[in-house]
Amino acid sequence: MGTTAAEVERDRARLREFVEAHPRLFVLTGAGCSTDSGIPDYRDTNGGWKRPQPVTYQAFMGEKVTRQRYWARSLVGWRRFGRAQPNATHRALARLEQQGRIATLLTQNVDGLHQAAGHRNVIDLHGRLDEVRCMGCDARLPRNAFQQALVERNPSWALLDAGDAPDGDADLEGRDFSRFDVPPCPACGGILKPDVVFFGENVPRHRVDAAVTSLNEADAMLVVGSSLMVFSGYRFAAAAAREGKPIAAVNLGKTRADPLLSLKIEQSCAEALSFVS
Ligand SMILES: [Zn+2]
């Protein structure tokens, strides 16, 4: 792109000014925050899919084989995903919150790494992957406990390794998933699902309402590491723009909200936030 060191410095200074000028920030984060923690991104810099589109809610609930394939991949992928640690971006945002500059952080990520970095006021828009929920009786169990049940029933799968994919699953294409044994809900025998919002599924209403209230009380919006291609995230940028609130975004590549931005920083999240001390 031919960006010079002086331009990088100038952009960083502009971001710092933006943060200092708006003490009640509403921050929205996406996959770009977590790539430095070893969790890959779904999208390329043009906002297109890097790999086959993830499983839909309808396929997961409707087809046994889809659940078998999902949990087989998840069994293998969880070993690394479950151990991922927060990185410099999570820590910089947590420090900004401690300094009183961030009112609310809304994340599209499901990895819990903002909280692991000490961030307190976080809304997990798409849920958390570290919990499993029964679609029959609403019982919940920790993903780590469910991992043990998966391994006990499928010991040969536990020996496999595969390329890591987003959201804690793994690439195991070409395998026969039909003998993978998925444990049912221990309480009612129902279908267990990770407590995250799948494609084709609605974000719970109370979560959206809480985020909208926070946005209304903020004086500006800062997007960190998201292309906003998914409507559930984009609509907050659209709402901020309607209310006349300035929006800054840090993202490598295009975002769906580019025409709405007052400031766009095309750097990695960690670089752009390196002014935070
Ligand atoms: Zn149940």
Side-chain angles (χ1 to χ4, degrees), residues 133-140 184-192:
R133 179 177 153 217
C134 173
M135 301 308 283
C137 72
D138 210 38
R140 278 153 208 276
C185 169
C188 79
I191 295 176
L192 293 171

Side-chain angles (χ1 to χ4, degrees), residues 4-21:
T4 67
E7 284 166 335
V8 169
E9 272 310 313
R10 187 202 56 203
D11 275 357
R12 207 171 295 157
R14 283 181 177 160
L15 180 62
R16 173 179 211 146
E17 284 164 23
F18 184 90
V19 167
E20 288 174 354

